[in-house]
Amino acid sequence: MLQYKIVPVTPFEQNCSLLWCDVTRKAAVVDPGGDVERILDAAAQLGLEVEKILLTHGHIDHAGGTAALARQLGVAIEGPEREDSFWIDALPQQSKMFGFPQGEAFTPDRWLVDGDVVSIGQETLDVLHCPGHTPGHVVFFSASARLAVVGDVLFAGSIGRTDFPRGNHAALVNSIRHKLWPLGKDVAFIPGHGPMSNFGEERESNPYVGDYA
């Protein structure tokens, strides 16, 4: 079964996630925005072997530590979708803008597209392209664990910002309603910031994308 641990990183308290296969103890780090040593310590305490980095999108608080972590571990970077390449190329400028440690641009080993599958040990995650917050944002979904890692698409009681370059509010709402809701009300999700929730709760009460919004 797929297991997870949330490791908050950066001054933005971004929910970096460790996802792992409990049979093989092989793991992926999702959205290492910074505080690389904290992430490595968490993986070591759990006895995990990190085999890849997965990215939902290219914002500094989600991707800022990616190049350093990949280099330190010698692992591949998978995601996001190619439309976020301009955000990744701009990581050095993003770090200055938000007062982060110097960000480093990189090229993912694998750009992801809607319908792709990524593996972690014996576990697999479906890739859903969910633009709106950024044009190349992706979500990772485990059908067996009923768990989604949604980055900054959806939050408990809120949705992602769309006022950044190439953000699109209509596209974001469409992504949530037509990509996420069909996965099932029982699906729990790890957002990019704040507490976890599930799709049923958000459909019931989210003021932006709930069924009664």
Side-chain angles (χ1 to χ4, degrees), residues 106-124:
F106 57 88
T107 301
D109 298 278
R110 178 188 178 192
W111 295 106
L112 297 173
V113 299
D114 193 70
D116 275 350
V117 174
V118 297
S119 62
I120 306 170
Q122 296 177 8
E123 298 291 327
T124 58

Side-chain angles (χ1 to χ4, degrees), residues 60 64 90-104:
I60 184 69
L91 282 169
Q93 291 86 351
Q94 289 189 63
S95 60
K96 291 192 181 78
M97 187 181 304
F98 292 104
F100 275 60
Q102 179 64 23
E104 186 180 340

Side-chain angles (χ1 to χ4, degrees), residues 44-57:
Q45 288 177 21
L46 291 163
L48 304 177
E49 178 189 348
V50 176
E51 61 175 358
K52 65 182 62 177
I53 295 168
L54 301 176
L55 294 179
T56 63
H57 65 295

